[in-house]
Amino acid sequence: MSTITTLVWAELLYRLYPDVDVVTDDQQWMNGHVKPPIIQLETDIVSEKTHTPQAVRIIEDVGLIFRFKKVEDPGAQQPYIQIDVELLRAYLRKHKYQVASQAHKTLLVLQEPTIKTFKDRVEFECRYSYLLNTDSADISLPGEKKPEKINHFYVKSDGEEIEA
């Protein structure tokens, strides 16, 4: 799971659904530590390719599961209080399937999502790509070895080594 894209998706979901909790850990849901309504968020890296010497294009899948709250009244016509997934779909259409994050300085370019509706949840799946800057010191790709930076330079002057 990519940390940057998880933060970008969480930022978007909190903006669109401020009253709904976003969960990134499946074990929390499986162990019953969170109660609906919630949105489960999962991202998975599909591929990464060098785009330029300074950037890598990452392709990932995202899965959002909108879990609905069950109504306690057994006689209710609608047994679940649903989360409006059309709000997310309309936002993506309006922004031409691009999600921009100011806080994380990342732009996700999405493909058309697939949405499956069930009685207690809606599953939203989508593939997207983004560029990851490889010059940044805090970001590294798996298996990549970065050369050590040289911060001090020395020159010989009159047989003596001095810092330049």
Side-chain angles (χ1 to χ4, degrees), residues 71 80 105 135 141 162:
V71 177
Y80 294 95
K105 298 187 182 347
D135 283 343
L141 296 173
I162 59 172

Side-chain angles (χ1 to χ4, degrees), residues 5 9 17 19 35 46 74 99 105 112 114 117 121 132 143 147:
T5 56
W9 280 106
Y17 305 99
D19 300 330
K35 300 289 182 210
V46 175
V99 177
K105 298 187 182 347
E112 183 77 26
T114 60
T117 305
R121 69 188 184 279
L132 181 65

Side-chain angles (χ1 to χ4, degrees), residues 32-163:
H33 294 298
V34 290
K35 300 289 182 210
I38 64 164
I39 302 172
Q40 282 180 264
L41 166 63
E42 293 181 17
T43 59
D44 189 31
I45 293 179
V46 175
S47 72
E48 48 189 58
K49 283 196 291 193
T50 301
H51 184 68
T52 66
Q54 294 81 27
V56 173
R57 177 169 302 282
I58 309 281
I59 298 174
E60 293 186 359
D61 287 334
V62 67
L64 303 173
I65 303 174
F66 295 80
R67 295 201 179 267
F68 305 144
K69 183 176 183 178
K70 188 169 179 118
V71 177
E72 299 301 324
D73 180 17
Q77 283 185 315
Q78 179 68 17
Y80 294 95
I81 299 173
Q82 297 188 355
I83 303 169
D84 185 15
V85 180
E86 282 302 314
L87 182 63
L88 176 61
R89 182 184 285 186
Y91 177 88
L92 293 176
R93 279 188 188 145
K94 180 180 176 185
H95 291 86
K96 299 180 177 151
Y97 294 98
Q98 296 178 359
V99 177
S101 170
Q102 292 295 326
H104 307 291
K105 298 187 182 347
T106 304
L107 175 72
L108 308 180
V109 180
L110 285 67
Q111 294 178 0
E112 183 77 26
T114 60
I115 299 174
K116 298 176 190 169
T117 305
F118 300 91
K119 68 176 185 176
D120 63 338
R121 69 188 184 279
V122 170
E123 295 179 358
F124 175 98
E125 295 175 351
C126 182
R127 183 160 284 179
Y128 61 93
S129 66
Y130 63 99
L131 292 178
L132 181 65
N133 184 357
T134 57
D135 283 343
S136 144
D138 59 333
I139 299 174
S140 63
L141 296 173
E144 179 184 23
K145 292 182 181 179
K146 292 202 175 230
E148 242 182 80
K149 285 189 174 182
I150 300 172
N151 294 323
H152 302 283
F153 296 93
Y154 298 94
V155 293
K156 278 192 176 184
S157 176
D158 297 328
E160 201 178 307
E161 206 173 83
I162 59 172
E163 190 171 350

